Amino acid sequence: MGLEVLNNLESKEVFRWFQEISKIPRESRNEKAISDYLVSFAKDRNLEVYQDKMYNVIIKKKGTLGYENKPALIIQGHTDMVCEKTSDSAHDFSKDPIDLIVEGDTLRANNTTLGADDGIAIAIAMALLDSNDIPHPPLELLATTVEETGMDGALVVTGEHLSGTTMINIDAEEEGVFLVSCAGGLTTLTEFDIKRELNNDDTYSIEVSNLKGGHSGIEIHNQRANAIKVLGRLLHSVRDNICLSKIYGGAKHNAIAKNAYALFTTKDFNSIKSTLDSLALNIKNEYRVEDLDILIKIEKVEKAKEVIVKNISDNIIDFMMLVPDGVLYMSRDIEGLVQTSANNGILKEENNKLEFTISIRSCVYSSLEEIKNIIETSAKRTNCSNFSIKSSYPAWEYDANSRIKDIAPDIYKKVTGKEAKIEAIHAGLECGILKRPLPNVDMISMGPNLYDVHTPNEHLSISSVDRVWKFLKELIINI
């Protein structure tokens, strides 16, 4: 089924603009091209536009007849996307367009992330700004950058060019669920100086692969295996009898690590083989529900020329074992909500330093600090060379007096016939950051059904986009 089927939908203009922006590379910190494209889009339509040093873009459009004197509405989303692909994909995210595929009610990409997180928000806003027949109050698109790697774009937003009194963030991933609060978070970086010496022992590899992974906020409650943590457990079980030569794992700080790999040396593999094999079986059994297809491969390889000196190797393995990962606390206030979690996101060596990047999330500030302190203490106890905070962002606190949270569910039911839900989310949203420069703006977060974000299996429900588009058009004239 080709993309032409999208032309038969009421939301066809949304999908037209999504196809257009899918041609433009927009990995986090590479948003200049998409930012410039939005500026040109605005100028071609004689719309007021602003672009800042972080390539955030604000586009303003006057209200239509009868709505021109209404308070302005801010539509907000981020232009960047997580760029993940399958191991056999030759896609180059720095230049290649996303190859879109329609399968029934699903829009996906060809072995890469789709970029509907959060390209669908930008496409919806562009369809509104480009329209000539949709009634609406004054509109302000706020398109931010670097959301996926620290929300750096939102951090520099000021209220200077924004006059809206209500903001709709379109970065949620479940239709009919309106988010009114989100977790805050911070990302830690722990570094170990690497020193090597000549190796005389046999060398073996451990590879942990074929995990589901997923978004470390949205899907952390599923308690899927983290490849870095699994690797750490395996190495720690034989730590006294091995020495690391090479180790790496994960790809993004906010994605549950799907793969991890280590080379290690040992004087007597037969003495540790049964320990590794037994633990590998136990781990597979532990995750038989969440990660049925997990692979743990241990094999002899070509002898490594060098090995990390023993005390540093031991410290690295001890740190991997000590640091927390996954769901740590559940909310006492909202049933089913993860309060606090940690994600062992990236493990890599660069410039003779081994870097551990761990992302922490919580809707309770003191809990966030507790987990940060645990990681910092673990780092210092294992003689790291540096511990630092790479980035942080505040929580978005629940506002009992929010008007849009009361209006949105009623209009959603009117348009779709379905009941809506008001919820909080464990993932970070830019709303928390944007509340600082826009303290009096009433906010809500919503979006169409989007699945497996931050993975090559990311896919979007076409019919859900169509319903959300119809609902949004009704909502904006009733705010």
Side-chain angles (χ1 to χ4, degrees), residues 252-437:
K252 305 287 183 182
H253 78 94
N254 55 1
I256 301 168
K258 298 186 298 179
N259 303 282
Y261 179 88
L263 285 181
F264 68 89
T265 64
T266 182
K267 295 184 182 300
D268 184 9
F269 181 72
N270 289 331
S271 67
I272 63 173
K273 183 178 186 302
S274 61
T275 300
L276 288 171
D277 289 345
S278 177
L279 181 55
L281 285 173
N282 287 336
I283 289 172
K284 290 178 181 179
N285 181 60
E286 289 172 21
Y287 291 102
R288 66 188 182 278
V289 175
E290 299 86 5
D291 263 299
L292 177 64
D293 299 321
I294 183 172
L295 296 177
I296 299 174
K297 184 178 181 182
I298 305 169
E299 61 182 357
K300 188 174 183 178
V301 296
E302 183 179 349
K303 183 178 289 187
K305 294 180 180 179
E306 292 184 322
V307 67
I308 299 172
V309 297
K310 179 61 174 167
N311 67 313
I312 297 176
S313 175
D314 287 351
N315 284 333
I316 290 168
I317 294 171
D318 287 348
F319 180 78
M320 294 176 73
M321 192 66 188
L322 286 169
V323 292
D325 182 80
V327 176
L328 304 177
Y329 299 118
M330 298 298 291
S331 172
R332 280 81 162 174
D333 299 313
I334 302 175
E335 185 177 355
L337 175 68
V338 176
Q339 174 191 289
T340 307
S341 73
N343 179 58
N344 290 209
I346 308 171
L347 172 57
K348 67 177 181 179
E349 185 177 342
E350 199 165 273
N351 300 322
N352 294 318
K353 291 183 181 293
L354 191 66
E355 301 179 351
F356 286 85
T357 301
I358 300 175
S359 177
I360 314 168
R361 301 175 191 267
S362 184
C363 56
V364 177
Y365 178 75
S366 58
S367 184
L368 195 72
E369 282 291 296
E370 178 200 6
I371 306 308
K372 186 266 291 184
N373 290 337
I374 290 173
I375 296 171
E376 184 175 11
T377 301
S378 301
K380 291 179 178 178
R381 289 285 183 176
T382 52
N383 298 311
C384 76
S385 57
N386 177 61
F387 175 86
S388 60
I389 305 300
K390 291 180 67 176
S391 63
S392 64
Y393 55 92
W396 170 27
E397 296 185 10
Y398 175 74
D399 179 6
N401 298 315
S402 167
R403 183 168 177 265
I404 192 170
K405 77 169 173 58
D406 296 329
I407 294 172
D410 291 341
I411 294 176
Y412 181 78
K413 185 175 182 180
K414 173 185 172 183
V415 172
T416 69
K418 301 178 181 180
E419 297 290 340
K421 298 178 182 178
I422 296 293
E423 292 186 0
I425 190 173
H426 185 58
L429 291 171
E430 290 169 298
C431 297
I433 294 173
L434 294 172
K435 261 294 185 180
R436 290 178 172 178

Side-chain angles (χ1 to χ4, degrees), residues 138-159:
L139 295 176
E140 299 175 341
L141 165 62
L142 172 56
T144 51
T145 59
V146 202
E147 191 271 350
E148 299 290 4
T149 58
M151 304 194 187
D152 295 17
L155 286 168
V156 305
V157 171
T158 69

Side-chain angles (χ1 to χ4, degrees), residues 44-61:
D44 289 346
R45 289 155 182 78
N46 295 314
L47 301 177
E48 194 175 347
V49 62
Y50 304 91
Q51 182 184 51
D52 67 22
K53 62 182 180 181
M54 286 294 295
Y55 300 115
N56 296 316
V57 173
I58 294 171
I59 301 175
K60 305 177 80 167
K61 182 182 181 183

Side-chain angles (χ1 to χ4, degrees), residues 4 73 87 101 111 116 122 161 176 179 182 251 271 313 327 331 386 471:
E4 62 275 3
L73 169 68
S87 58
I101 297 172
N111 293 324
I122 305 303
H161 300 297
L179 302 177
C182 74
S271 67
S313 175
V327 176
S331 172
N386 177 61
F471 157 72

